[in-house]
Amino acid sequence: MLSTAMLYFRETAKAGSLRRAAEQLGVAPSAISRQIAKLEGELQTALLDRRANRTTLTPAGELVLAHADQVLQNSEALRGALQELIGQPVGTVRIGSIEGMVSHFLANNLARFQKRHPQVKLQASVVGSRAVLEALQEGRIDIALAFNLPERHAFREHARLEQPLCAIVAPTHALARRRSVSFRELEGHRVALPDRSFQIRHLVDRIASKTQVSLDLVIETSTLDMAKGVVRNSDLITFLPRYAALHEVSNGDLCAVPLQERDFAATATSLLTMPGQRQSPASRALLEMLATSMGRYGSNAVPRSDSGNTRVQK
């Protein structure tokens, strides 16, 4: 466990200033300053370089922060191991996810998990696929949901949800009743697309380049919800896997028309952890729930065993 002084130092280092750390901890900045001064006195070295706009770590501070992070990680592992003895998951599970999996899949599963394990705290962050993978590699999250992994990667894949990319349109759109559509048929169509911070945008751009199709990009947005909302109320098209618009499609607000070019318009969302990273009982319970749910989410969902081999669904 961390002492109060060490805890205050860690929060200040993470926040980058005494003021922000005080806001997050709910204490006065002067109290944090006194505790850090006490810690520096005990260690007989300066830990923070206090400047006008930002507080940065000294080399000694970097070492102490790494120690504090390790102590917290070990404490969490100890709590998990003790609770495993009595079969009761506790602690905190941190999950990072791409936006397309949040509104229906992840939100429903986290609510269900919390009802089953009310003593477990969940921290969920929604960022782009690249940022999710970086957070997993750096140990800032325990579980990741990422889009279209490269063929060679260093992650442990527990389940994968594979679906074709779809043209997402309003029910009144001319394409709404189609069973499928060729990307080449969309030449010149007006579209709303997520910006290039999304892997799905890069996929759409690659398909357009490969098919030599020119789309009329009239709205570019930093959220998938905005793209879906615009499409729902216009004749524009956006592109998503069906699961990313499942709630709207199920309610009849949008239609998902699969692209015919499945050989290079396929999508896959993977449930990941880092190999060798010890998972707490709570984290393992959430992993199992998410993997099972992904297996039920569509006919192309592919659960994976611990060894990484595909399990055949019956």
Side-chain angles (χ1 to χ4, degrees), residues 54-67:
R54 184 167 178 81
T55 299
T56 58
L57 291 169
T58 65
E62 295 278 2
L63 290 175
V64 174
L65 178 60
H67 169 75

Side-chain angles (χ1 to χ4, degrees), residues 211-249:
T211 57
Q212 297 184 323
V213 168
S214 177
L215 301 172
D216 184 9
L217 177 60
V218 296
I219 294 181
E220 185 177 54
T221 174
S222 62
T223 74
L224 299 185
D225 275 347
M226 173 66 77
K228 290 186 289 185
V230 167
V231 166
R232 186 168 57 243
N233 295 290
S234 70
D235 64 347
L236 302 185
I237 300 172
T238 194
F239 299 95
L240 295 170
R242 188 176 186 275
Y243 64 75
L246 184 59
H247 179 70
E248 295 85 354
V249 171

Side-chain angles (χ1 to χ4, degrees), residues 27-311:
V27 299
S30 58
I32 294 179
S33 183
R34 285 195 300 271
Q35 288 291 333
I36 293 176
K38 175 185 174 183
L39 181 62
E40 289 177 324
E42 292 173 353
L43 298 176
Q44 298 184 349
T45 186
L47 303 178
L48 298 174
D49 184 4
R50 300 169 178 83
R51 299 180 184 271
N53 297 325
R54 184 167 178 81
T55 299
T56 58
L57 291 169
T58 65
E62 295 278 2
L63 290 175
V64 174
L65 178 60
H67 169 75
D69 287 342
Q70 188 63 53
V71 169
L72 280 180
Q73 185 176 343
N74 290 343
S75 296
E76 191 68 25
L78 176 60
R79 289 188 66 193
L82 291 173
Q83 291 301 319
E84 192 169 13
L85 290 175
I86 60 174
Q88 186 74 5
V90 296
T92 300
V93 182
R94 305 161 301 169
I95 182 168
S97 176
I98 54 172
E99 185 185 349
M101 293 295 284
V102 171
S103 62
H104 194 274
F105 175 83
L106 190 57
N108 288 350
N109 276 288
L110 293 189
R112 191 158 58 95
F113 182 86
Q114 208 284 322
K115 287 180 181 178
R116 186 177 299 177
H117 304 289
Q119 66 278 20
V120 176
K121 297 185 184 299
L122 300 172
Q123 295 178 354
S125 56
V126 182
V127 292
S129 192
R130 187 173 302 172
V132 167
L133 297 180
E134 288 176 357
L136 185 59
Q137 286 179 310
E138 294 171 4
R140 291 184 279 115
I141 58 176
D142 306 301
I143 301 170
L145 284 164
F147 182 78
N148 274 16
L149 283 179
E151 187 173 338
R152 297 172 64 88
H153 62 81
F155 305 102
R156 182 179 178 187
E157 188 175 37
H158 297 263
R160 182 192 302 167
L161 179 59
E162 297 175 342
Q163 289 189 348
L165 193 66
C166 295
I168 306 296
V169 297
T172 56
H173 196 281
L175 296 175
R177 296 184 180 276
R178 294 279 298 273
R179 296 180 65 87
S180 65
V181 62
S182 168
F183 199 83
R184 291 179 175 85
E185 295 179 64
L186 304 180
E187 172 73 38
H189 274 260
R190 288 155 37 92
V191 298
L193 296 178
D195 63 35
R196 287 187 171 86
S197 66
F198 289 82
Q199 288 294 320
I200 201 162
R201 171 63 181 277
H202 293 281
L203 176 60
V204 172
D205 288 348
R206 286 196 299 271
I207 297 170
S209 175
K210 188 164 185 175
T211 57
Q212 297 184 323
V213 168
S214 177
L215 301 172
D216 184 9
L217 177 60
V218 296
I219 294 181
E220 185 177 54
T221 174
S222 62
T223 74
L224 299 185
D225 275 347
M226 173 66 77
K228 290 186 289 185
V230 167
V231 166
R232 186 168 57 243
N233 295 290
S234 70
D235 64 347
L236 302 185
I237 300 172
T238 194
F239 299 95
L240 295 170
R242 188 176 186 275
Y243 64 75
L246 184 59
H247 179 70
E248 295 85 354
V249 171
S250 299
N251 288 343
D253 295 326
L254 291 172
C255 297
V257 185
L259 296 180
Q260 294 171 3
E261 294 84 353
R262 295 196 178 196
D263 55 336
F264 55 90
T267 71
T269 296
S270 299
L271 178 66
L272 306 167
T273 60
M274 282 299 295
Q277 181 181 12
R278 188 183 186 281
Q279 298 294 327
S280 68
S283 182
R284 291 200 300 271
L286 181 57
L287 270 171
E288 182 178 351
M289 176 179 285
L290 294 176
T292 300
S293 184
M294 286 178 78
R296 296 170 178 164
Y297 221 59
S299 59
N300 293 322
V302 184
R304 294 181 171 257
S305 67
D306 288 346
S307 63
N309 297 321
T310 302
R311 289 206 305 263

